[in-house]
Amino acid sequence: MLSDTEGGATISKAAIENATKVVDVDINGGWEIGQPVPYSSLAHVFGLIEATSKRLEITSILTSFLLLVIKRSKEGDRSSLLQSVYLCINKLCPDYQGLELGIGESLLIKAIAESTGRKMDAIKTDLKDVGDLGLVAKNSKNSQRTLFKPKSLTIPFVFSQLTEIAKTAGHSSQNKKISIITKLLAACSATTDEAKYIIRSLEGKLRIGLAERTLIVSLAHALVLRDQEKAGPAKSKESLALKLERGAQALKSVYSELPSYDHVIPVLLRVGIEGLKEKCKLTPGIPLKPMLAKPTKAIGEVLDRFEEKRFTCEYKYDGERAQVHRLEDGTIRVFSRNSEDMSAKYPDIYEQLPKAIQSNTTSFVLDSEAVAFDRTTMKLLPFQELSRRKRKDVKIEDIKVWVCLFGFDLLYLNGEPLLHKTLAERRTHLHQHFQEVPGEFMFAKSSDSETTEEIQAFLEESVKDGCEGLMVKMLETDASYYEPSRRSINWLKLKKDYLNGVGDSFDLVVVGGYYGKGKRTAVYGAFLLACYDSESETFQTICKIGTGFSEEALKTHTEALKGLEIDKCRSDVDAGGARPDIWFEPKMVWEVLAADLSLSPIYSAAKGTVDSRGISLRFPRFIRIRDDKNADDATGPEQIAEMYERQSLANKGPKKGAAEDDFW
Ligand code: ATP
């Protein structure tokens, strides 16, 4: 390893080789400077990425491509790079704008049939054999004879058509979508993978094994290389590799504060990596990914971790995370844990919050929990009350159960980000700039307790008051800075329920169903659940869950899952040895508790991490539907492996401190 004495970063020789390697990604002779990027080049790059599982290799391939896009763009062109980046992660805009791809299989089959002249049944049979509609589309093109050569697809064209499809809604939208997809497919060249990736994009999953964090590293590397080329040859390979490493760190940090390529990429192109931090900061109106907590199941663990440090315990309210932004012009926006704009769900927050804002407050970003609240008894209500509320178009006059907002952090105040202030300072600002309005806006109840007995007493009090337990947070030093998108060991969640279980609940995706027996034949009696590995973009099965459901619940789940039934296990589901009666589109997320974790020859979760076998949940118990989470927000195999290891250590003896895991 070489070490960077100035910055403290370390970088291996292999990483230097990879970071500075240029991969030939230009397959298209017709791509001239100033011309739109050919989609065939991107499809070629997707193919190269799909063919490898090595993260460093993927980074090199993507860096080379993005650098080429930058170098061949016209002066002042921001959109070529922006659109290329979005297509690589299969998005069309920042998450909070809510425009998503994810077209149903039957509509895509219809479009493939129309565009290639094949019968729908033949396409369905192929899909059963191959298991990948993208490949079926490509093969269908191969077998199609064309009279004239279609005009080549370009990135701006594909991007605009995908956007159009995602925006199309309402009356006759199906036909409109089919017509656009048919035209797109007709323009795909049969000798490339264009059709394969267009179909996969439309399905909502590219399945090439490209994680967003790898894209961010590649984007940073491309910009560093561009600037280095302008400045002349680097002093040495090592100095260039260090610049690349620092560039990647800088972009990761900026993007976690301002997760919008629309905002970051134009600045990146204009000022390069060096000047980025100064120009791109947390901005009200653009939600940042919230800081998350590590689970813990014993007060002793909390004290081990926070020994000799100042920390605070807060009530862990059982509601929905609400990141509330107020822009300088007074506009208020409420965002969910997933950066979804929830403004239409919470008209009550709009009515109530202004009373809680003190006159010395102009703009802010407030981290809080929206909790259902009984205004007569002045008591907290369980999460279920809130989950009955519609997610959109809620009218204030229809609200039966109101929410009270419990503020626990302040991330931005009067034009200044506060992320790099200590929690103690942020909390002081919160209390100085907001005021409590009972039942409408309150500060999260906290106690800066220090002993096991004090924490135990506060935990019990929190549960008595209707909370899930406590959040324990570092109060001082840089360890208490707000860490966007990170599941940090500086925040621990201590839930009463889990003190004797495995430590935390799991958010799992329903991927299969088993028919009920006896009087339950009309409904599913059990379900196959999976975790989600964002690294390989696969769902890995983890357990079958069948106990604890009432007849009524089974009926409701069966109805909700009917629309997600598919003929075959999706290619991004690693079923292991599980064979349910029916497969589902991986969409629905359930929160589940378990007695413990065990190694399993059947299930594939976290296979190869702690053992050659997978890990499964023993005695899983359904808790609730998590409709605030997407399938790719489900618990990851690394968290499952970590819980398994903690459990084995706990069974063996002294506990180990939890390792960091997060978006990066
Ligand atoms: P995670 O967000 O950790 O993936 P999750 O969404 O299932 O998991 P929990 O594990 O129950 O949620 O715990 C974290 C959540 O607790 C936060 O996202 C927030 O919504 C809620 N919460 C309630 N009270 C607080 C508090 N005082 N401080 C921080 N978060 C709190």
Side-chain angles (χ1 to χ4, degrees), residues 134-307:
L135 213 52
V136 174
K138 180 187 168 175
N139 295 343
S140 304
K141 284 231 50 125
N142 282 345
S143 57
Q144 180 190 20
R145 263 187 263 151
T146 42
L147 295 177
F148 56 91
K149 198 170 170 283
K151 199 164 169 256
S152 305
L153 288 174
T154 63
I155 283 194
F157 182 71
V158 173
F159 188 83
S160 70
Q161 298 305 289
L162 294 181
T163 309
E164 177 96 30
I165 293 168
K167 280 186 178 161
T168 302
H171 184 62
S172 73
S173 65
Q174 300 274 22
N175 289 341
K176 252 190 235 155
K177 283 182 191 170
I178 293 181
S179 138
I180 304 175
I181 300 169
T182 308
K183 277 192 214 126
L184 266 176
L185 287 176
C188 289
S189 122
T191 54
T192 67
D193 278 342
E194 288 177 325
K196 172 169 145 189
Y197 292 116
I198 285 197
I199 288 294
R200 287 206 195 159
S201 274
L202 288 162
E203 279 180 311
K205 279 243 152 34
L206 273 176
R207 282 178 264 157
I208 55 172
L210 171 64
E212 191 171 354
R213 52 183 175 263
T214 310
L215 170 102
I216 291 177
V217 172
S218 307
L219 179 59
H221 285 185
L223 263 298
V224 171
L225 291 175
R226 177 200 73 169
D227 291 346
Q228 186 66 62
E229 276 183 27
K230 277 190 196 159
K235 267 194 248 141
S236 64
K237 259 191 164 179
E238 285 75 14
S239 82
L240 179 57
L242 279 174
K243 279 190 193 165
L244 293 168
E245 167 96 353
R246 286 208 193 114
Q249 287 306 337
L251 185 57
K252 281 177 192 176
S253 147
V254 164
Y255 188 76
S256 65
E257 263 192 54
L258 188 69
S260 159
Y261 297 109
D262 286 6
H263 288 78
V264 172
I265 286 185
V267 181
L268 201 50
L269 284 168
R270 211 176 59 238
V271 303
I273 291 271
E274 297 282 314
L276 191 66
K277 242 183 169 144
E278 207 30 60
K279 299 253 180 308
C280 288
K281 295 199 164 136
L282 169 57
T283 306
I286 301 167
L288 64 168
K289 299 258 180 272
M291 181 167 173
L292 300 171
K294 286 263 183 193
T296 179
K297 51 178 202 160
I299 294 174
E301 228 176 288
V302 171
L303 293 173
D304 284 351
R305 165 74 195 130
F306 289 156
E307 207 179 1

Side-chain angles (χ1 to χ4, degrees), residues 471-590:
M471 295 290 285
V472 191
K473 301 176 180 177
M474 202 73 101
L475 253 187
E476 282 173 346
T477 75
D478 54 2
S480 73
Y481 292 175
Y482 193 89
E483 302 170 77
S485 77
R486 183 162 269 199
R487 190 174 294 286
S488 167
I489 42 172
N490 298 318
W491 275 22
L492 297 178
K493 47 187 175 185
L494 186 62
K495 300 194 201 176
K496 176 86 176 171
D497 279 5
Y498 310 158
L499 290 184
N500 301 316
V502 288
D504 197 10
S505 56
F506 302 83
D507 297 312
L508 301 171
V509 187
V510 193
V511 294
Y514 300 84
Y515 296 127
K517 300 212 167 64
K519 58 182 173 138
R520 287 181 166 179
T521 44
V523 294
Y524 295 119
F527 306 89
L528 178 63
L529 303 182
C531 63
Y532 181 69
D533 182 15
S534 58
E535 197 69 38
S536 61
E537 294 184 294
T538 52
F539 296 90
Q540 303 172 343
T541 54
I542 189 164
C543 67
K544 179 176 171 181
I545 184 168
T547 44
F549 296 107
S550 65
E551 303 292 322
E552 197 49 43
L554 285 179
K555 230 166 99 190
T556 320
H557 293 321
T558 302
E559 270 161 28
L561 286 161
K562 272 276 173 252
L564 298 180
E565 288 179 3
I566 43 176
D567 294 351
K568 209 176 154 61
C569 175
R570 251 187 37 174
S571 59
D572 56 347
V573 174
D574 180 356
R579 296 286 171 269
D581 297 321
I582 195 92
W583 293 100
F584 301 126
E585 285 282 353
K587 267 222 164 81
M588 187 172 284
V589 181
W590 287 356

